[in-house]
Amino acid sequence: MPSRSLRLSQNNIVSLNQFFPIARYDSWFFLLISLLLGCSLNPVVGQENQWIAAEKLIEIPDPIGLAGPFCGLVNDSLVVAGGANFPDGMPWEIETKKGTKIWHDDVYLLERPDGNWKHVGKLPRSLGYGVAITLPEGVLLIGGSDASQHYADVYLLTYKSDQLQFQSLSALPVRLANMAGMLIDDKIYVVGGSHTPGEQAASNRVFSVVVRELLGNQQAAVWSEESPLPGNGRLLPGIAAMGSDLFVFGGAEIVSEADQRRRHYLQNGFKLSLKQAQQQSSKHQQARDQVNRSVWQPIADLPVPLVATPFPSPAIGPNHFLVCGGDDGSRVGFEPIDQHPGFNGTCWGYHVITNTWMEMGSLQKPTVTTQIVPWQDHFVIPSGEVRPGVRSASVTSLRLVSPTPSFGIINYVSLVVYLLIVFGIGLLAAGKIVNTNQFFRADQSIPWWAAGLSIFATMLSSITFMSIPAQGFSIGWNLFVGSIYVILTPLVAYVYVPYFRKLDITSAYEFLEIRFNLAVRLFASLQFILFQLGRIAVVLFLPSLALATVAGVNIYVSIVLVGVLCMAYTMLGGMKAVIWTDAVQAVILLGGALIALIAIIDRVPGGVGQIISVADEGQKFFHSLSWSWDTTIATGWAIMFGSIFSNLFSYTASQDVVQRYLTTSDQKMAGRAIWVNAIMAPLAQALFFAIGTGLFAFYYYHPHKLHPAIANDGIFPFFVVQELPVGLAGLIVAAVFAASQSTVSSSLNSLATAVVTDFYRRFQPQASDRRALSLARFVTLIAGLIGIGLAIVLASLGEIRSLWEIFIAVLSLFGGSVSGLFFMGMFTTKTHGTGAMVGALASVAVVMWMFFSGGLFWWYSVAGVFVCVFVGYTVSLLTPQFTANKNFR
């Protein structure tokens, strides 16, 4: 990432605006839109910079306090062990034979935050300034020092039956103290420090060990050396981890000046990609001491130099870690030293996506040279040093203050009015439904443009509206290469649609019985039904999560509200209600997205040009996209082929889309509807990726506006409510609901179509049309209730990975085999029903194996289609006694 001075260069902005003139006028566009909507230009802004709340727990029993103690959890109780202080006076009183630094071996334990400390034993020796790591088995004590030397010893501290026990484990390769360390996944990392007393030099070495190897081989040499830190080494650095990245920042290096050595306070920091480091290390098995340092990448400088900040800095939210003050060096040499005001108490948050620091609050009496321990739902900083030589017995407990939503009455009015309008449009457009042809196929009276908008709205769900901006914000435009799936349009328009129209079917899966047999039809229909139930749950959950995050509405209430509304107009109005509300919702969601993008541009210095510049330097376009054939990562090939084959299911074998082909008056009109979607879909994806890019630039310039608790999938609605004018925010949140409703209503109607046509009518052909219509409405109700229930389960799971990835994975799990069946039915004449069913089952088995073995989800649909076609066709050739329906064509 470049320096902020480069990005804020006025010359840079002016030159870019010459190429992007809209950046000079976007404020006028935004003002006009706001005035037309009758909105105030005062954004809804939450509380800033006070996102950390601190409280005091009971002080440790040592009345003076300790610096450099070992701190961790054993049996969910807080442990503070060892450390050093000056019990006889301050270090500057050495001429009076006071000020001798004493190391301690006492071990104190606090069983609960509101309890009392108790002395539970002693360390094997007096020790401090090492690293403590909390494990399920106990607390690891790594390295450290006493008055005479540093140590390489490693012990496991356990506390059972009121007995303190120590187990000696494999020692560090070198003696080490004044370092930082932490546990990441199953591996411990120890960084920096010094090898001998007296601060003659700082270490830049990085050591690691796998926990299970350390605990299983007590005396074996299992420590490895990682790529060294750039520079001369660091004493008392900060350390943090996010995902598979290790961050090291601040600390002090030892420099020589006038035949003396002194600390140089550091402000810079570096990031180590642990995955990349592992790959580099594997290439240097014969020369580990020459591992390539390029795996360490610089990060943005700290706002101020910081030494001895409590470590490890904890992760707060999905993309931030917290740095709780430290010695910034600004008061070195302060006189008189006994009146030193203390260290820097500012708490800083680092955002790993935008590579920015922001102020999150401050501590009144910060302590340094200690550790920070996550305990229950708080972060605890026990004891430490409050100013040079002076310790504190205080124990500070910190917690992240949740954002205070402020949606406002006007925004609620906008949202409620939208919901009522959609409900009214659905009922008015549908009229009175008297037969299943009206309920399922809208009497084949839908205009081509409305059918096209409906296909577009169905495919562009709330997943698109929220997760694609989140992808653009966090990763870049990599997934946009998946829009190549529109190359399927001619295949769908000129091959598949004529088949469906010629057969005059209601359910797409009727084709499979005509071509193969009943078992194949029922298998495919059941796959579709299961997929739609999962899809309903996800697209109900997303907007409800957004509203809960930004407006404080209970997430479960939101899920039920949206689900019930969709069930109501789908049950009453059938396919006509679905299509006409889809058409309106398509306009609303695109309009809302455009307005939001203009608002983002308005708030970034330099407008469009600077957004492009910042995003390019932040590698938020296609910079991270690999075109290798490594099937374990999301390369460009994986995204392209995965998108093509997953959308092959959506456009050729999924009832919710195929059903739209059957609602127009003839084949020509159906083809036009398909081309409408083909034109709009990639443009809409580009729009939503652009929103994500704009959000990246906005929060780069305004990092203090992004609350750490906001997950990536909630970043867009959070911006909308916090930054957009009152009323306008409600309309755009309504667009999120529009995206959700269009998908849910389509899923409900098509699911009911599949159940009634493929199961009920197939086995009860004598049943009356009126009875079938009643059953269709009942199935709509039941499916809606199941979808609502599954969405509530999702909400109860807490933080989960990207919902876009979840949706693609679920789609691929169910879609590959069904797509393969339709492909064989359309393009082969020798495939018979038994072969097709064997191929479909083999496809499901292979994809499930890939899923449980951790295979990359982009390849699920590719493998599913290929396995289904290959196995199905091969089995048919090998079993000619089963004749295919050659007369089908």
Side-chain angles (χ1 to χ4, degrees):
M1 298 290 286
S3 66
R4 186 174 295 272
S5 60
L6 171 61
R7 295 196 174 179
L8 291 177
S9 166
Q10 188 62 36
N11 292 332
N12 191 30
I13 295 173
V14 170
S15 63
L16 285 167
N17 279 337
Q18 293 174 354
F19 296 97
F20 302 99
I22 188 176
R24 291 175 289 176
Y25 307 115
D26 50 30
S27 296
W28 292 102
F29 292 152
F30 181 65
L31 177 62
L32 176 61
I33 290 171
S34 299
L35 291 175
L36 289 174
L37 292 171
C39 300
S40 165
L41 285 176
N42 295 319
V44 182
V45 180
Q47 188 179 21
E48 298 174 0
N49 300 337
Q50 296 296 326
W51 294 340
I52 296 295
E55 60 179 312
K56 296 295 183 181
L57 303 183
I58 189 170
E59 294 184 347
I60 64 172
D62 190 309
I64 300 175
L66 300 159
F70 294 91
C71 307
L73 297 178
V74 59
N75 303 328
D76 200 36
S77 298
L78 181 63
V79 170
V80 175
N85 56 22
F86 295 88
D88 298 326
M90 293 298 101
W92 53 85
E93 299 174 337
I94 194 70
E95 68 277 2
T96 62
K97 297 184 179 180
K98 296 182 179 181
T100 301
K101 189 173 185 178
I102 302 298
W103 274 256
H104 296 267
D105 59 3
D106 295 296
V107 180
Y108 303 107
L109 184 139
L110 182 65
E111 293 181 336
R112 60 181 191 274
D114 60 347
N116 293 307
W117 289 94
K118 58 182 180 180
H119 185 274
V120 294
K122 291 182 177 293
L123 295 173
R125 65 167 60 93
S126 298
L127 200 65
Y129 301 97
V131 167
I133 303 290
T134 297
L135 300 175
E137 295 81 1
V139 179
L140 280 179
L141 310 180
I142 303 173
S145 66
D146 60 17
S148 61
Q149 61 180 313
H150 291 0
Y151 293 91
D153 297 335
V154 177
Y155 296 97
L156 176 66
L157 179 156
T158 58
Y159 185 70
K160 299 177 181 178
S161 302
D162 295 331
Q163 293 293 319
L164 194 65
Q165 298 178 353
F166 297 92
Q167 179 184 0
S168 179
L169 303 176
S170 177
L172 285 165
V174 296
R175 298 171 182 266
L176 204 58
N178 303 311
M179 67 288 202
M182 69 180 303
L183 174 68
I184 305 175
D185 295 330
D186 63 342
K187 207 168 185 180
I188 295 167
Y189 293 84
V190 176
V191 178
S194 59
H195 302 305
T196 59
E199 296 189 357
Q200 296 301 307
S203 172
N204 67 348
R205 302 176 74 177
V206 180
F207 299 101
S208 67
V209 64
V210 177
V211 171
R212 65 178 179 275
E213 294 180 1
L214 181 67
L215 298 181
N217 300 279
Q218 287 85 352
Q219 299 300 327
V222 295
W223 286 89
S224 300
E225 188 160 1
E226 304 288 340
S227 177
L229 279 167
N232 297 322
R234 296 166 189 252
L235 293 173
L236 302 170
I239 188 171
M242 292 295 296
S244 62
D245 292 331
L246 173 67
F247 296 84
V248 178
F249 47 89
E253 65 179 356
I254 305 302
V255 296
S256 298
E257 289 185 359
D259 297 326
Q260 292 184 344
R261 295 181 179 273
R262 69 173 184 86
R263 288 186 177 185
H264 175 224
Y265 287 66
L266 297 174
Q267 195 169 347
N268 63 349
F270 293 89
K271 175 180 72 174
L272 173 65
S273 172
L274 300 181
K275 289 183 178 179
Q276 183 180 357
Q278 184 178 10
Q279 294 170 357
Q280 291 277 4
S281 180
S282 65
K283 297 177 182 178
H284 296 77
Q285 294 291 334
Q286 305 302 320
R288 287 184 179 274
D289 58 331
Q290 297 181 3
V291 174
N292 193 338
R293 297 189 186 188
S294 66
V295 295
W296 286 98
Q297 300 296 326
I299 64 172
D301 287 352
L302 285 156
V304 296
L306 287 178
V307 176
T309 183
F311 73 89
S313 293
I316 47 172
N319 298 306
H320 287 82
F321 61 76
L322 176 68
V323 178
C324 299
D327 181 2
D328 60 13
S330 63
R331 292 159 180 165
V332 173
F334 186 93
E335 295 291 346
I337 193 170
D338 59 343
Q339 296 181 22
H340 191 287
F343 301 116
N344 190 316
T346 303
C347 292
W348 302 96
Y350 175 79
H351 188 224
V352 297
I353 293 176
T354 57
N355 188 30
T356 53
W357 295 90
M358 67 174 180
E359 187 175 340
M360 298 191 63
S362 60
L363 303 178
Q364 291 184 349
K365 292 184 178 180
T367 56
V368 302
T369 58
T370 185
Q371 295 192 226
I372 185 167
V373 182
W375 191 21
Q376 298 177 10
D377 58 347
H378 290 210
F379 306 107
V380 180
I381 305 176
S383 197
E385 189 173 355
V386 291
R387 61 179 188 267
V390 180
R391 279 48 172 163
S392 171
S394 67
V395 179
T396 303
S397 176
L398 307 176
R399 62 180 177 84
L400 178 66
V401 178
S402 299
T404 304
S406 180
F407 199 51
I409 186 64
I410 298 177
N411 286 328
Y412 276 115
V413 170
S414 300
L415 181 58
V416 171
V417 167
Y418 157 75
L419 294 174
L420 293 176
I421 289 175
V422 168
F423 185 76
I425 289 173
L427 295 185
L428 291 174
K432 186 177 180 180
I433 301 297
V434 296
N435 58 55
T436 53
N437 189 51
Q438 291 176 328
F439 192 85
F440 295 144
R441 303 199 302 181
D443 268 341
Q444 297 186 297
S445 61
I446 300 298
W448 60 269
W449 57 269
L453 286 175
S454 180
I455 294 172
F456 168 75
T458 297
M459 299 304 297
L460 195 148
S461 67
S462 56
I463 297 169
T464 306
F465 206 100
M466 292 174 58
S467 289
I468 288 187
Q471 287 282 329
F473 170 77
S474 60
I475 298 174
W477 284 58
N478 291 2
L479 295 186
F480 185 68
V481 302
S483 61
I484 193 176
Y485 74 83
V486 297
I487 65 174
L488 294 172
T489 300
L491 178 68
V492 175
Y494 302 122
V495 178
Y496 282 84
V497 169
Y499 266 101
F500 296 136
R501 297 292 307 202
K502 179 177 66 175
L503 295 174
D504 193 29
I505 56 180
T506 299
S507 164
Y509 310 111
E510 293 178 73
F511 162 77
L512 295 178
E513 182 178 5
I514 297 171
R515 175 62 180 83
F516 296 121
N517 56 39
L518 175 61
V520 174
R521 172 186 179 178
L522 298 181
F523 170 84
S525 183
L526 182 61
Q527 288 272 82
F528 168 78
I529 290 168
L530 293 175
F531 164 67
Q532 290 301 329
L533 289 174
R535 189 186 193 196
I536 290 169
V538 172
V539 297
L540 278 177
F541 170 56
L542 263 177
S544 300
L545 173 65
L547 197 60
T549 301
V550 303
V553 176
N554 185 281
I555 189 170
Y556 302 105
V557 173
S558 298
I559 289 171
V560 173
L561 176 64
V562 178
V564 168
L565 185 64
C566 288
M567 283 192 303
Y569 72 73
T570 304
M571 286 174 59
L572 296 175
M575 180 53 74
K576 274 191 177 181
V578 170
I579 287 181
W580 286 110
T581 53
D582 281 355
V584 173
Q585 288 161 346
V587 174
I588 291 174
L589 64 90
L590 284 180
L594 282 169
I595 293 171
L597 179 59
I598 293 172
I600 293 169
I601 294 170
D602 179 73
R603 284 160 170 75
V604 173
V608 172
Q610 197 66 2
I611 289 174
I612 293 174
S613 176
V614 168
D616 181 60
E617 295 169 43
Q619 300 188 342
K620 294 302 175 184
F621 289 111
F622 299 100
H623 300 76
S624 62
L625 185 62
S626 168
W627 288 98
S628 76
W629 288 101
D630 185 349
T631 58
T632 63
I633 60 175
T635 64
W637 301 115
I639 295 171
M640 285 176 57
F641 287 116
S643 296
I644 290 172
F645 281 89
S646 62
N647 280 283
L648 183 67
F649 168 71
S650 298
Y651 289 101
T652 68
S654 185
Q655 175 64 23
D656 56 335
V657 176
V658 172
Q659 200 165 337
R660 302 304 193 280
Y661 308 156
L662 308 174
T663 60
T664 59
S665 58
D666 55 40
Q667 178 183 322
K668 182 179 180 180
M669 297 299 104
R672 288 184 180 179
I674 295 168
W675 282 105
V676 167
N677 175 74
I679 294 170
M680 294 183 67
L683 294 177
Q685 283 206 16
L687 170 62
F688 286 107
F689 275 112
I691 289 173
T693 302
L695 290 172
F696 173 81
F698 174 81
Y699 286 113
Y700 174 81
Y701 284 111
H702 308 284
H704 58 284
K705 291 179 176 288
L706 179 58
H707 195 283
I710 302 301
N712 286 344
D713 284 318
I715 190 74
F716 183 29
F718 178 77
F719 170 86
V720 166
V721 172
Q722 293 295 324
E723 300 298 328
L724 294 193
V726 175
L728 184 58
L731 292 176
I732 296 179
V733 171
V736 178
F737 277 87
S740 174
Q741 287 178 302
S742 62
T743 302
V744 172
S745 60
S746 297
S747 294
L748 289 173
N749 186 268
S750 59
L751 190 152
T753 303
V755 171
V756 172
T757 305
D758 295 322
F759 291 90
Y760 178 71
R761 276 185 161 169
R762 179 59 180 80
F763 296 104
Q764 297 289 333
Q766 75 282 2
S768 67
D769 190 74
R770 182 176 181 180
R771 188 174 181 85
L773 177 61
S774 298
L775 178 61
R777 285 176 166 149
F778 178 74
V779 170
T780 302
L781 173 64
I782 297 301
L785 293 175
I786 293 174
I788 290 172
L790 293 175
I792 290 174
V793 171
L794 276 179
S796 67
L797 293 178
E799 183 180 339
I800 54 179
R801 62 179 179 165
S802 168
L803 287 164
W804 169 268
E805 295 182 4
I806 287 179
F807 174 71
I808 295 295
V810 171
L811 176 62
S812 301
L813 280 172
F814 287 103
S817 59
V818 181
S819 303
L821 289 173
F822 274 84
F823 186 89
M824 286 189 292
M826 296 284 183
F827 297 103
T828 69
T829 58
K830 295 183 179 180
T831 308
H832 52 62
T834 301
M837 179 60 74
V838 172
L841 293 174
S843 172
V844 171
V846 168
V847 174
M848 293 302 293
W849 171 79
M850 293 175 67
F851 175 78
F852 287 109
S853 63
L856 184 67
F857 65 87
W858 287 107
W859 295 110
Y860 294 173
S861 58
V862 180
V865 173
F866 272 99
V867 169
C868 182
V869 173
F870 176 78
V871 173
Y873 191 71
T874 301
V875 169
S876 297
L877 292 179
L878 296 176
T879 55
Q881 64 271 25
F882 297 100
T883 58
N885 186 355
K886 297 181 180 179
N887 297 321
F888 172 75
R889 291 175 179 267

